Amino acid sequence: METFARIRETAAARVGGDEALRERLVRPEPPESLAMVGDDRYLSVMSRRIFRAGLQHRMVDARWPAFEAAFLDFDPARVAEMDDGDLRRLGNDERLIRHHGKLRAVRDNARAMLDLVAEEGSFGAWLAAWPEDEIVELWFDLSARFSQLGGNSAPAFLRMAGKDSFLVTDWVTKALNHWDAYEGTPKGKRALREVQARFNEWMDESDWPLCRISQTLALSVE
């Protein structure tokens, strides 16, 4: 496996230098900031990720103010109380994206979030406390607790929420193969844990967060 220093050097050369590379990379939110965010905002971001899946992100984002109104500002307690009639009504609302499974997932996830909050105090506190060197375990936990957060949706939600995480995109997979960090496409828990181990090594070497390592990998290959 190649060192991250070499990968970063290659990515920087492709985008016009190290400063240009740094300007392209996102930064995660610090734990204290994550812990301060309200549960309603996390439910909103989670739901927006679910509706973005398979659709143009700009289209979903343009309609999101209507979703905020329809789902009562994503207050988990109020959304959890919605009945099937409420969801059928929303399924006929032309302002929204009328995908009945995803609309139902918002209510299901509000109920799941209330269960988690009862255990942990707040969703943000739970998220902030999760160690980055075990981030794929958080993916698995999110997928198990919440509806429609399988596949890439859990890590994509974390990126949107500001929690440090890598993504396994086609470009990242190509880079993992190119730099002899992984062979093939990582699928399943065992494979993702192997990829996590590689990212942990690069994190220890560089002192960079997972999200910046992930983006640098994607930029390091043609």
Side-chain angles (χ1 to χ4, degrees):
M1 186 179 79
E2 188 56 81
T3 65
F4 184 71
R6 173 58 178 156
I7 296 168
R8 176 177 166 181
E9 179 183 344
T10 301
R14 293 191 66 248
V15 301
D18 196 61
E19 187 62 30
L21 174 63
R22 287 174 174 271
E23 290 176 357
R24 287 177 175 239
L25 306 181
V26 299
R27 289 186 180 276
E29 293 293 329
E32 55 270 24
S33 295
L34 293 172
M36 291 176 62
V37 175
D39 298 328
D40 60 313
R41 292 304 85 205
Y42 283 116
L43 182 59
S44 177
V45 173
M46 183 184 294
S47 302
R48 185 151 56 101
R49 167 55 208 170
I50 289 169
F51 277 92
R52 276 183 169 188
L55 297 174
Q56 291 185 345
H57 294 182
R58 286 184 296 177
M59 185 269 284
V60 176
D61 294 348
R63 297 192 183 200
W64 209 247
F67 275 88
E68 290 279 350
F71 281 103
L72 309 170
D73 296 324
F74 288 97
D75 181 327
R78 297 174 72 193
V79 175
E81 291 178 352
M82 286 183 163
D83 60 26
D84 291 345
D86 294 323
L87 295 181
R88 283 194 295 270
R89 175 179 54 80
L90 295 181
N92 292 319
D93 190 333
E94 294 184 353
R95 300 173 304 159
L96 308 180
I97 298 164
R98 292 175 290 173
H99 187 298
H100 292 277
K102 293 184 178 184
L103 291 169
R104 191 177 305 110
V106 177
R107 183 187 63 183
D108 293 345
N109 289 341
R111 293 172 176 175
M113 186 170 286
L114 289 177
D115 289 341
L116 188 150
V117 170
E119 299 170 7
E120 304 292 340
S122 75
F123 186 90
W126 176 74
L127 201 66
W130 201 287
E132 283 72 22
D133 60 1
E134 296 180 3
I135 204 66
V136 297
E137 305 302 327
L138 178 55
W139 301 0
F140 306 151
D141 201 342
L142 285 167
S143 179
R145 289 176 184 263
F146 295 97
S147 177
Q148 301 215 21
L149 279 186
N152 287 325
S153 285
F157 158 63
L158 294 177
R159 178 69 61 85
M160 291 170 66
K163 174 68 175 179
D164 191 23
S165 179
F166 62 90
L167 301 178
V168 184
T169 64
D170 291 344
W171 287 106
V172 170
T173 298
K174 184 176 182 179
L176 289 170
N177 282 255
H178 177 77
W179 299 112
D180 295 324
Y182 189 85
E183 183 177 352
T185 301
K187 294 181 179 180
K189 291 183 177 181
R190 180 176 178 179
L192 290 172
R193 285 171 176 142
E194 290 181 23
V195 172
Q196 170 89 75
R198 303 291 84 73
F199 270 88
N200 289 350
E201 291 180 47
W202 286 324
M203 212 168 31
D204 289 342
E205 175 198 341
S206 66
D207 202 30
W208 271 26
L210 296 169
C211 59
R212 292 169 75 85
I213 294 172
S214 179
Q215 289 182 291
T216 302
L217 277 169
L219 293 168
S220 71
V221 290
E222 296 281 348

